[in-house]
């Protein structure tokens, strides 16, 4: 079969699979009738999906709201154009939390996407639909965004791999802004190997030397649920078997120092970015309250937060890495929680749990670092767990190759939810 025919068949299967599963999973807000013709490139016609906050010419994104709040764009976001130029075929737009400002996947307006591993547990947010689409085998790669963990949290919840790039490596043009100092456009995939060609396209010649030395954030792991500790141990044993040099580092103090300035930027910049929507009074109550917290933050406070993070990115970060090329730590201290615990209005709702989802991810955005989240085993409920490998700026390709080498010797990322039958074919 010719490549063009294989590409057409792959897109057709992905669209059919998306339509079959979407009533159950609510991963997509729009699925194309037919994907556009693929260009020649290393992705070879691979189907992909886009989080519904990126512009595609002729269609305004809904941003997780009931309807699109903006004008129809004339241009397509550069990141989407790049994937098309690499030979990818866009098949649809994935669900997200309203304005990408909620970490569990909740969406009172459109319904929460369903975690393919367990409908009782969250799928993670805000790139919820993209993670579900990859976990269910609909697409091999999906675009998402990450302002405080919005790629890495759903990667853990749904058992897939996430790449949160170095700040500004992937262009933000044509993407909804939440907190511009922290925003990053990134990707979800089954495994890191699926993302290397994409990362190389954005990195150019600046790919970084191979990663051979890893520091384990032992002080952070000590505060985690026991099963998360075990998951990190799984990765350590696999790395030792590869001959990777492991050392220990202390990261808790740096994470704590980043937290206040990161939250100041997130709240203050989000309130500014969406001032017009706040003024309309048409936002969900929980979202309006969350955005309202940033309205009292002034420009002086924002400037001080940026200054503090710039200082931490110099001295404290060097100390945390020490002689290592990258740092290993969990994505979350806790196991994936239930929907009831994360749903405002539920009798068992816990704001503390909602806040905890991004406790170990926000600092990475504050310092502009690249991170790869990869599955590392399963908890006692059979739900996936994940670690993140964090590198110095512009080591993205090296991080992905490091993660791919690890995944070539483990199978956590290759396991699929028992309740979802997997399609066959080259792009399954």
């Amino acid at each position: 079969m010719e490549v063009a025919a294989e590409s057409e068949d792959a897109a057709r299967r992905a669209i059919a699979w998306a339509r079959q599963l979407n009533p159950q999973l609510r991963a997509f807000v729009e699925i194309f009738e037919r994907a556009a013709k693929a260009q020649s490139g290393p992705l070879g016609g691979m189907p992909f999906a886009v989080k519904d906050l990126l512009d595609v010419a002729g269609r305004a994104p809904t941003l997780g709201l009931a309807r699109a709040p903006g004008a129809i764009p004339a241009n397509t976001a550069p990141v989407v154009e790049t994937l098309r130029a690499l030979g990818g075929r866009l098949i649809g737009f994935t669900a997200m939390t309203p304005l990408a400002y909620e970490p569990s996947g909740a969406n009172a307006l459109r319904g929460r996407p369903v975690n393919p591993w367990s409908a009782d547990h969250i799928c993670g947010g805000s790139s919820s639909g993209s993670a579900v689409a990859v976990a269910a085998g609909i697409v091999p790669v999906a675009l998402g965004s990450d302002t405080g963990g919005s790629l890495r949290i759903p990667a853990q919840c749904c058992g897939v791999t996430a790449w949160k790039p170095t700040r500004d490596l992937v262009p933000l043009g044509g993407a909804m802004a939440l907190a511009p100092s922290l925003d990053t456009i990134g990707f979800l995939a089954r495994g890191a190997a699926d993302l290397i060609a994409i990362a190389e396209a954005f990195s150019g010649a600046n790919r970084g030397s191979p990663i051979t030395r890893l520091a384990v954030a032992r002080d952070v792991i000590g505060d985690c649920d026991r099963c998360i500790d075990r998951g990190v141990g799984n990765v350590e044993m696999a790395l030792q078997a590869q001959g990777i040099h492991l050392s220990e580092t202390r990261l808790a103090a740096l994470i704590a120092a980043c937290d206040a300035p990161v939250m100041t930027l997130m709240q203050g910049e989000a309130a500014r970015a969406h001032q017009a929507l706040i003024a309309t009074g048409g936002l969900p109550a929980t979202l309006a309250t969350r955005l309202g917290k940033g309205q009292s933050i002034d420009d002086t406070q924002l400037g001080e937060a940026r200054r503090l993070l710039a200082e931490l990115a110099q001295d404290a970060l060097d100390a945390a890495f020490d002689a290592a090329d990258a740092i290993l730590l969990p994505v979350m201290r806790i196991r994936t929680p239930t929907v009831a615990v994360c749903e405002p209005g539920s009798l068992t709702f816990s704001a503390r749990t909602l806040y905890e989802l991004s406790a170990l991810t926000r600092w990475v955005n504050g310092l502009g670092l690249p991170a790869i989240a990869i599955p590392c085993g399963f908890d006692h409920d059979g739900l996936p767990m994940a670690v993140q490998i964090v590198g110095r700026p512009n080591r993205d390709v090296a991080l992905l190759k490091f993660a791919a080498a690890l995944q070539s010797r483990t199978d956590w990322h290759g396991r699929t939810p028992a309740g979802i039958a997997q399609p066959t074919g080259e792009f399954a």
Side-chain angles (χ1 to χ4, degrees):
M1 183 183 293
E2 295 181 356
V3 173
E6 290 179 352
S7 169
E8 181 67 30
D9 191 46
R12 179 189 56 78
R13 291 199 311 270
I15 290 170
W17 193 233
R19 292 189 178 282
Q20 180 178 333
L21 292 182
N22 209 50
Q24 171 190 349
L25 298 178
R26 296 194 293 270
F28 286 82
V29 297
E30 182 178 344
I31 303 166
F32 293 171
E33 292 290 337
R34 183 174 180 178
K37 184 178 179 180
Q39 300 181 44
S40 176
L43 299 187
M46 180 192 74
F48 72 95
V50 168
K51 183 177 181 177
D52 198 19
L53 51 60
L54 284 156
D55 289 347
V56 169
R59 179 192 182 274
T62 70
L63 315 180
L65 302 175
R67 57 182 178 273
I72 295 175
N75 300 306
T76 296
V79 63
V80 178
E81 292 283 29
T82 298
L83 260 64
R84 286 173 163 172
L86 291 173
R89 301 184 68 160
L90 176 60
I91 70 155
F93 299 91
T94 55
M96 57 180 280
T97 62
L99 303 185
Y101 205 6
E102 202 278 345
S104 78
N107 190 327
L109 297 171
R110 289 179 168 269
R112 180 191 294 270
V114 176
N115 188 330
W117 293 91
S118 167
D120 293 331
H121 291 77
I122 66 169
C123 60
S126 63
S127 303
S128 41
S130 289
V132 171
V134 172
I138 296 171
V139 288
V141 171
L143 271 162
S145 68
D146 192 313
T147 302
S150 291
L151 288 161
R152 290 159 288 160
I153 297 165
Q156 161 150 334
C157 297
C158 295
V160 298
T161 298
W163 167 39
K164 182 264 172 213
T166 298
R167 180 186 297 148
D168 297 329
L169 180 68
V170 176
L172 290 169
M176 181 209 78
L178 178 60
S181 296
L182 309 171
D183 291 345
T184 313
I185 299 300
F187 302 82
L188 292 144
R190 176 70 66 192
D194 298 320
L195 298 172
I196 292 173
I198 297 171
E200 289 177 338
F202 288 106
S203 299
N206 189 16
R207 300 180 182 183
S209 56
I211 291 170
T212 59
R213 303 167 301 171
L214 200 69
V216 182
R218 193 68 64 197
D219 58 337
V220 173
I221 298 165
D223 293 333
C224 295
D225 286 354
R226 184 173 298 178
C227 62
I228 301 294
D229 190 349
R230 174 171 50 81
V232 177
N234 290 341
V235 174
E236 289 184 74
M237 287 189 289
L239 291 171
Q240 288 170 339
Q242 288 180 238
I244 300 298
H245 175 73
L246 298 179
S247 60
E248 293 189 9
T249 189
R250 302 188 66 80
L251 198 58
L254 176 59
I255 292 174
C258 289
D259 209 44
V262 165
M263 293 305 296
T264 295
L265 288 175
M266 190 176 297
Q267 292 173 349
E269 291 187 352
R272 283 162 170 73
H274 297 296
Q275 186 59 48
L277 283 173
I278 296 171
T280 67
L283 296 175
T286 301
L287 176 59
T289 298
R290 189 174 292 130
L291 286 169
K293 293 179 180 179
Q295 291 183 299
S296 62
I297 297 172
D298 60 29
D299 290 345
T300 300
Q301 291 170 294
L302 292 176
E304 178 63 10
R306 295 186 190 106
R307 185 191 67 79
L308 287 170
L309 290 170
E311 287 184 358
L312 290 169
Q314 294 293 323
D315 303 329
L317 192 59
D318 284 340
F321 276 91
D322 194 14
D325 301 312
I327 299 173
L328 176 71
L329 72 157
V331 168
M332 299 192 295
R333 293 189 183 100
I334 59 175
R335 296 181 296 118
T336 297
T338 62
V339 169
V341 169
C342 296
E343 193 73 58
S346 166
L347 293 175
T348 56
F349 172 67
S350 168
R352 181 176 181 179
T353 298
L354 206 61
Y355 183 85
E356 181 63 33
L357 294 178
S358 61
L360 298 184
T361 56
R362 296 186 293 261
W363 70 280
V364 178
N365 298 76
L367 301 180
L369 305 176
I372 313 298
I374 58 173
C376 65
F378 297 83
D379 66 22
H380 55 69
D381 290 324
L383 293 169
M385 304 180 294
V387 296
Q388 53 182 331
I389 304 170
V390 181
R392 293 180 184 272
N394 300 310
R395 300 292 295 276
D396 299 73
V397 173
L399 278 175
L400 283 166
K401 289 183 176 180
F402 181 85
L406 172 63
Q407 290 181 325
S408 71
R409 295 170 173 83
T410 61
D411 69 348
W412 303 303
H413 69 293
R415 301 186 195 181
T416 54
I420 303 294
Q422 296 299 300
T424 59
E426 180 185 356
F427 294 104

